[in-house]
Amino acid sequence: MKKFFTFVLTLSLLFLTAVSCGSNSLEHVYTTAKPAYMTEEQTTTATTKQPKIVAVDNETPYDELITKPIDIHYVIEKYFGDWMLANPLFTEIASDIGVECLRKTDTYYSVHEVEQGGLFYLFYSDEEDPQKREVIHWFYVQKRLSKADFAGIKDGESTIEDIKKIDPTTQIFINLYHANSLYQEATEASFFTWSFLDDGILEFFYDKKGEKLVLQEQRYLEDFLLYQLNDSVIYAEDIRHAELLPIDRLPE
């Protein structure tokens, strides 16, 4: 009888572990520590694949257009594992995970439902030719937030874990940090995260103190300013804004 209860207890623990570490978890080990994003051969292939290009549709709700959710870990690890700074082509995204919901406001963006919950937004450069269009920023949202939700976050005191308690998608950046920590420490590159809000974008910049990432500075972009992630210089003519249609917000 004692062995029976031990067996049942073991099965229960395994079940609980499987649930807590299941497909909905945002914790994940990324193995792309500073990879080259795409070789010349891959770039050529991506531009000649002839992916399905959907037309811009600013009227139909996203949940009526999207037929398949994406795995957030697959997308982030493959396309943004190189310190979050890669700018994959629109055609590469369309050929791989698909673009079923394409919008146009200040620039192009696509909406993707996520297996782990929430919505993933890819904003693109403004080229009309899809073959030349590339990703300039990405945002992952699991809950509706505003700047007021971060009122208790303090520069020099709060940690990345404090921010994750408010915005759970911060875990994706933590995954990226662990994948790239050796590169970051060797180059003294600044580590930062962002949260996409109802009333703007919040960017957080961190210093490593001991084993913790402590907030050094936060920057609020109330006008949803978009700039290409790997650009060291921002020109006025290149500035776009991450304007979402109301129908593309998560429900309250």
Side-chain angles (χ1 to χ4, degrees):
M1 183 63 71
K2 184 176 181 181
K3 289 183 178 180
F4 174 78
F5 283 117
T6 302
F7 175 73
V8 171
L9 178 60
T10 301
L11 284 180
S12 299
L13 290 173
L14 287 173
F15 175 77
L16 290 173
T17 301
V19 170
S20 62
C21 299
S23 61
N24 289 335
S25 174
L26 293 188
E27 292 187 32
H28 197 82
V29 177
Y30 297 158
T31 57
T32 51
K34 201 177 186 300
Y37 164 58
M38 290 176 70
T39 64
E40 183 177 349
E41 180 182 356
Q42 287 172 316
T43 302
T44 302
T45 301
T47 57
T48 57
K49 262 188 171 181
Q50 299 302 320
K52 179 182 178 182
I53 306 296
V54 299
V56 170
D57 181 343
N58 282 2
E59 303 293 333
T60 308
Y62 66 81
D63 55 358
E64 295 181 16
L65 294 171
I66 298 172
T67 62
K68 57 180 181 179
I70 63 167
D71 178 352
I72 192 65
H73 300 307
Y74 171 82
V75 175
I76 295 296
E77 186 172 18
K78 180 173 182 178
Y79 293 104
F80 306 105
D82 185 11
W83 204 236
M84 310 177 294
L85 304 181
N87 300 112
L89 293 168
F90 172 86
T91 48
E92 175 73 1
I93 298 295
S95 296
D96 188 1
I97 63 172
V99 173
E100 299 180 301
C101 179
L102 183 64
R103 312 295 201 191
K104 178 72 183 295
T105 52
D106 195 30
T107 191
Y108 294 94
Y109 72 91
S110 57
V111 185
H112 306 263
E113 291 183 336
V114 179
E115 290 178 5
Q116 290 82 2
L119 295 174
F120 187 63
Y121 306 102
L122 288 169
F123 282 84
Y124 305 93
S125 53
D126 204 26
E127 284 86 356
E128 290 188 16
D129 183 354
Q131 302 285 351
K132 298 179 180 179
R133 196 181 304 155
E134 60 183 9
V135 173
I136 57 175
H137 219 307
W138 59 266
F139 300 97
Y140 180 29
V141 178
Q142 272 200 343
K143 58 193 290 191
R144 298 281 292 266
L145 295 168
S146 67
K147 187 174 183 293
D149 292 309
F150 295 85
I153 297 298
K154 305 296 182 185
D155 295 354
E157 298 179 14
S158 300
T159 68
I160 195 170
E161 293 293 335
D162 295 323
I163 293 166
K164 189 180 81 168
K165 291 175 183 176
I166 302 169
D167 182 358
T169 66
T170 304
Q171 179 63 49
I172 297 299
F173 295 97
I174 295 175
N175 299 342
L176 287 168
Y177 176 79
H178 289 312
N180 292 277
S181 59
L182 293 178
Y183 165 68
Q184 189 267 340
E185 291 170 5
T187 60
E188 297 184 354
S190 175
F191 183 71
F192 65 104
T193 71
W194 54 78
S195 293
F196 193 82
L197 315 176
D198 282 351
D199 51 359
I201 300 167
L202 260 177
E203 296 181 331
F204 304 97
F205 298 83
Y206 305 88
D207 282 331
K208 187 176 182 182
K209 296 184 179 179
E211 296 302 313
K212 295 182 178 181
L213 286 171
V214 178
L215 183 63
Q216 174 191 16
E217 178 187 1
Q218 51 189 304
R219 178 168 58 182
Y220 178 53
L221 307 173
E222 61 181 339
D223 54 356
F224 293 93
L225 176 69
L226 273 183
Y227 53 89
Q228 190 152 318
L229 285 174
N230 62 2
D231 275 1
S232 56
V233 179
I234 303 172
Y235 299 99
E237 61 268 24
D238 295 329
I239 291 177
R240 296 289 183 267
H241 298 84
E243 296 178 4
L244 282 185
L245 297 171
I247 57 174
D248 291 332
R249 293 282 184 183
L250 280 174
E252 295 280 3

